[in-house]
Amino acid sequence: MPMENPENPRKWRFTWEAQSHSPNLRLFLFDSQTKPSVQCKKLKVHLNLFQSQVLVSWLKEEKEEEVTVRVPIPRVLIDSESPVSFRALDDHIEVKLVLLLPVGHPIVSRFDSVLNSSENGDDALAPDAATPLVMDTDLKSLSSIEEGVHFYCRNCSIRLTENPLRNFVEMPSIDWREVADNWFGACCCSFGGISEKMVTRFANSYKCAKGVCLLSFTAVVLSKDDLVACKLYNRTQEHQPGSDFSSDCVLSEEMLSSRESTNDLCGKLSSMHLKNDSVTKNVLVAKEEANGHKLFSALPVPDVSENETSVLGCCVHTENHIRNHVDEGGQHDVSETCLVDQNTSKLLANQKLFLNGSLGNAFMAKSYNLSMDIEWMEFVCPNCLSLLGAYPFDNGGAPIDGGVRLFKCYISTCTSAGGLGDMFRKYSLERMFTNQLLENAKDELSFRTVVRDLKTKSPLLQIVLLNPNSWCCSGYCLDSASAMESSLKLDLLPVIKVLFSDCSKSAASQLRVCEDWITRNLADVVCMFTRQVDELIQSLASAKDILPPSYNFLQDLPVSSLQR
């Protein structure tokens, strides 16, 4: 947020602040070695709209020497006919300007976009910080590159992907099961059967296939086979893949070339299913699409026991269930082939983890979406060991889906991270966390959040949301002799105002107080990796200093801001 510090012998700092609901713009001027109420005599403020500056001058108490500092004005619509109010307080000088429209007004936003489009050079990168994070934009941008996209470590620029990726698919929502039940009902014997089919397809859509990149708001999900020399470790030991369910779920070329009719094959599968002791099976249907590529989707065979009666129209009628799905798929040039998975117990157990919505991407997991059956491991850069993402293991110490979640704030799409060619340049840990925090506050109707360690579940950070619609920018003042008057251009950046408390180094007694605070206030609980939380705490502590000391605390908690 702070702009670059030009040479300023007095080290006076400024911060502009505005609220989306108020047509006022406040300026804070402060210096740690000056007490303005005593040392700044005959305070004067002059508004120079031609150079987009505010000139603040006063007489020093000791020598009656005039001091003048210049403050660049951000791009806002100022009401020049309204008077400028100002005052000198103990630890800062406050100047208030009246705006024609609040900063967050749609007309102001369109005005900014027109100005941004007319600018060239490095200044064109500045508005990225104010650009909303929208996943649809990422999906269109990545899919539009015909030669494919590589991903790189943002810290050391090493290439992470083996081959360029061309197939990008939106990640399904983790609350898809609830949505499907709300629309279609949860019963599997009537119209609610649609819900079961949709939920199953949801579980299958989570599978990580080589060459396919799943996109979510905070992460990209890749198969480990797409990454260069990727090794997945369960704690400290590398996982050695064996004959797991994934190898059993693929149709062989012999079966694809089989001329056996669909009805006969499905009938055999039905009889095989009824004779098997297992009550649940999985069926794979191979479909040949128009482009000649074969796609595979896993379908559940409903639970059937030998004592159950297959009633026509009921969900336990296996053969009818398979035929209905084949009929829904339409006509295909190649006969649809069904195959019962002979080792489905592990597949269904893993599918349950997907269906319970417990996976997500581990960037910021809600406590009730976590499962005791899943352990999240950090995925680090093989070159610089910086955090890149995460991958899930089950209780048996095996990868659940063979996929790696790469967080967008830690990767780039070109070697020059943050440059014009980097499609993820607008993503930062701070902005991603803030957007998720606001979304959770809207869903849970709670403005109090506790961030726990993803592994130990101990509290690391308390946050209380004060204002979700603030705007600010900060920097250092220019003296009267500076030659940079007209070269500095400021943009107000969207932020949220918060109270925070660092619990990462708290004693046991303080942790008990924190747990009591969580229970008493019905605080929302999320979990993140410790490395991420430490970075957030540093950002919060740094942003606290952009306001004068008298604004640093409220109710004995530090006041800070996070960029939206």
Side-chain angles (χ1 to χ4, degrees):
M1 254 181 301
M3 52 180 278
E4 192 175 347
N5 178 15
E7 287 298 322
N8 175 30
R10 293 200 50 83
K11 302 295 182 184
W12 278 83
R13 188 166 189 172
F14 72 85
T15 296
W16 290 101
E17 186 178 75
Q19 313 299 330
S20 294
H21 61 275
S22 173
N24 293 306
L25 181 65
R26 288 200 300 173
L27 169 65
F28 299 95
L29 286 173
F30 55 99
D31 176 18
S32 59
Q33 299 178 354
T34 305
K35 190 174 183 179
S37 60
V38 176
Q39 297 175 267
C40 300
K41 301 297 183 180
K42 296 184 179 180
L43 183 65
K44 294 186 294 184
V45 175
H46 174 67
L47 188 61
N48 187 344
L49 294 179
F50 179 76
Q51 291 185 331
S52 296
Q53 291 182 350
V54 171
L55 277 68
V56 182
S57 60
W58 62 89
L59 294 178
K60 291 177 64 174
E61 182 188 25
E62 308 88 17
K63 303 178 182 179
E64 293 293 324
E65 178 184 352
E66 186 178 52
V67 176
T68 301
V69 295
R70 299 168 182 256
V71 182
I73 301 176
R75 295 192 297 189
V76 291
L77 299 178
I78 296 176
D79 185 358
S80 59
E81 297 182 357
S82 296
V84 178
S85 59
F86 54 90
R87 56 179 178 167
L89 302 174
D90 285 343
D91 62 351
H92 70 282
I93 298 172
E94 181 178 336
V95 179
K96 184 181 293 186
L97 305 179
V98 178
L99 303 178
L100 292 174
L101 291 171
V103 175
H105 196 279
I107 294 180
V108 178
S109 301
R110 286 195 291 268
F111 175 73
D112 287 340
S113 64
V114 172
L115 289 179
N116 293 337
S117 62
S118 64
E119 292 182 349
N120 297 314
D122 294 337
D123 291 338
L125 293 180
D128 283 334
T131 304
L133 304 180
V134 182
M135 191 186 66
D136 289 344
T137 305
D138 296 337
L139 186 62
K140 293 176 182 177
S141 300
L142 293 170
S143 301
S144 64
I145 302 179
E146 296 182 359
E147 61 270 20
V149 177
H150 277 294
F151 293 126
Y152 301 83
C153 171
R154 186 177 290 192
N155 185 52
C156 67
S157 299
I158 190 174
R159 198 183 75 191
L160 302 172
T161 46
E162 189 81 41
N163 299 304
L165 298 167
R166 297 178 177 84
N167 192 357
F168 299 91
V169 182
E170 182 178 349
M171 191 81 164
S173 171
I174 61 173
D175 61 353
W176 179 247
R177 186 173 196 173
E178 297 178 9
V179 175
D181 287 346
N182 289 339
W183 275 96
F184 302 110
C187 175
C188 62
C189 296
S190 60
F191 188 67
I194 297 178
S195 172
E196 293 299 318
K197 292 179 183 179
M198 297 177 74
V199 168
T200 303
R201 292 182 181 180
F202 156 76
N204 295 326
S205 65
Y206 254 111
K207 292 181 180 178
C208 302
K210 184 176 181 180
V212 178
C213 175
L214 297 176
L215 281 174
S216 70
F217 176 77
T218 56
V220 297
V221 185
L222 302 177
S223 168
K224 63 182 179 62
D225 297 328
D226 286 318
L227 298 173
V228 177
C230 177
K231 296 181 180 180
L232 302 185
Y233 292 87
N234 184 8
R235 297 181 180 92
T236 58
Q237 184 177 4
E238 181 183 354
H239 171 68
Q240 299 296 334
S243 57
D244 58 6
F245 70 91
S246 59
S247 61
D248 296 327
C249 296
V250 179
L251 294 177
S252 63
E253 292 296 330
E254 291 80 2
M255 303 200 68
L256 289 175
S257 61
S258 173
R259 298 295 182 179
E260 189 170 11
S261 67
T262 301
N263 292 340
D264 292 341
L265 182 56
C266 290
K268 291 182 180 180
L269 293 177
S270 178
S271 62
M272 289 170 59
H273 174 78
L274 293 174
K275 292 178 181 179
N276 197 294
D277 293 334
S278 176
V279 296
T280 54
K281 290 297 177 184
N282 211 53
V283 175
L284 285 180
V285 179
K287 300 179 180 180
E288 181 162 348
E289 302 295 329
N291 59 4
H293 293 88
K294 297 180 178 60
L295 302 178
F296 302 91
S297 61
L299 291 173
V301 178
D303 296 347
V304 181
S305 66
E306 294 182 6
N307 298 326
E308 286 177 334
T309 304
S310 297
V311 181
L312 186 62
C314 181
C315 62
V316 299
H317 196 270
T318 308
E319 182 176 352
N320 187 57
H321 172 80
I322 299 175
R323 284 175 178 170
N324 285 345
H325 176 77
V326 173
D327 292 340
E328 290 172 3
Q331 296 182 354
H332 303 281
D333 295 335
V334 178
S335 298
E336 308 240 4
T337 307
C338 303
L339 174 64
V340 171
D341 181 11
Q342 298 300 322
N343 186 20
T344 57
S345 58
K346 188 172 182 180
L347 173 60
L348 293 178
N350 280 275
Q351 275 192 319
K352 289 179 181 179
L353 301 178
F354 293 107
L355 295 179
N356 290 335
S358 56
L359 275 185
N361 56 44
F363 172 78
M364 184 176 170
K366 294 184 180 180
S367 58
Y368 54 78
N369 273 342
L370 293 175
S371 170
M372 296 298 293
D373 299 322
I374 295 176
E375 181 177 6
W376 284 99
M377 310 298 294
E378 291 185 349
F379 184 79
V380 299
C381 174
N383 183 53
C384 65
L385 301 182
S386 61
L387 179 65
L388 294 179
Y391 54 92
F393 269 80
D394 61 19
N395 284 336
I400 289 180
D401 58 357
V404 176
R405 283 82 176 152
L406 300 178
F407 302 147
K408 293 180 180 179
C409 57
Y410 297 136
I411 60 174
S412 62
T413 58
C414 64
T415 53
S416 56
L420 283 174
D422 183 9
M423 298 181 187
F424 293 156
R425 64 179 180 270
K426 60 186 177 181
Y427 286 91
S428 66
L429 174 65
E430 186 176 332
R431 295 192 69 189
M432 288 165 53
F433 174 79
T434 301
N435 278 267
Q436 292 291 98
L437 189 69
L438 292 176
E439 183 178 339
N440 291 351
K442 187 183 300 182
D443 294 341
E444 307 298 334
L445 298 178
S446 173
F447 299 100
R448 297 174 177 87
T449 302
V450 170
V451 183
R452 294 185 183 272
D453 187 331
L454 189 60
K455 293 183 178 293
T456 65
K457 304 302 184 291
S458 59
L460 300 177
L461 177 65
Q462 288 176 267
I463 287 187
V464 180
L465 184 61
L466 294 179
N467 189 339
N469 292 310
S470 293
W471 299 75
C472 80
C473 62
S474 66
Y476 289 87
C477 298
L478 309 173
D479 59 20
S480 57
S482 175
M484 300 180 63
E485 301 97 334
S486 59
S487 61
L488 291 175
K489 296 179 181 179
L490 290 181
D491 287 289
L492 286 174
L493 301 179
V495 299
I496 63 172
K497 300 293 289 293
V498 298
L499 302 177
F500 77 98
S501 176
D502 181 4
C503 309
S504 59
K505 299 177 182 177
S506 300
S509 58
Q510 292 175 307
L511 291 179
R512 286 194 293 270
V513 173
C514 179
E515 294 290 353
D516 179 64
W517 182 85
I518 297 172
T519 305
R520 212 169 1 96
N521 294 284
L522 300 176
D524 190 25
V525 179
V526 297
C527 299
M528 301 178 69
F529 287 118
T530 302
R531 273 204 258 189
Q532 294 174 287
V533 181
D534 289 342
E535 188 177 339
L536 286 172
I537 292 174
Q538 292 178 10
S539 297
L540 287 165
S542 175
K544 179 175 67 71
D545 297 331
I546 68 173
L547 290 175
S550 57
Y551 285 81
N552 284 167
F553 288 89
L554 179 64
Q555 298 178 353
D556 297 327
L557 288 176
V559 179
S560 187
S561 59
L562 290 170
Q563 189 180 337
R564 277 190 278 131

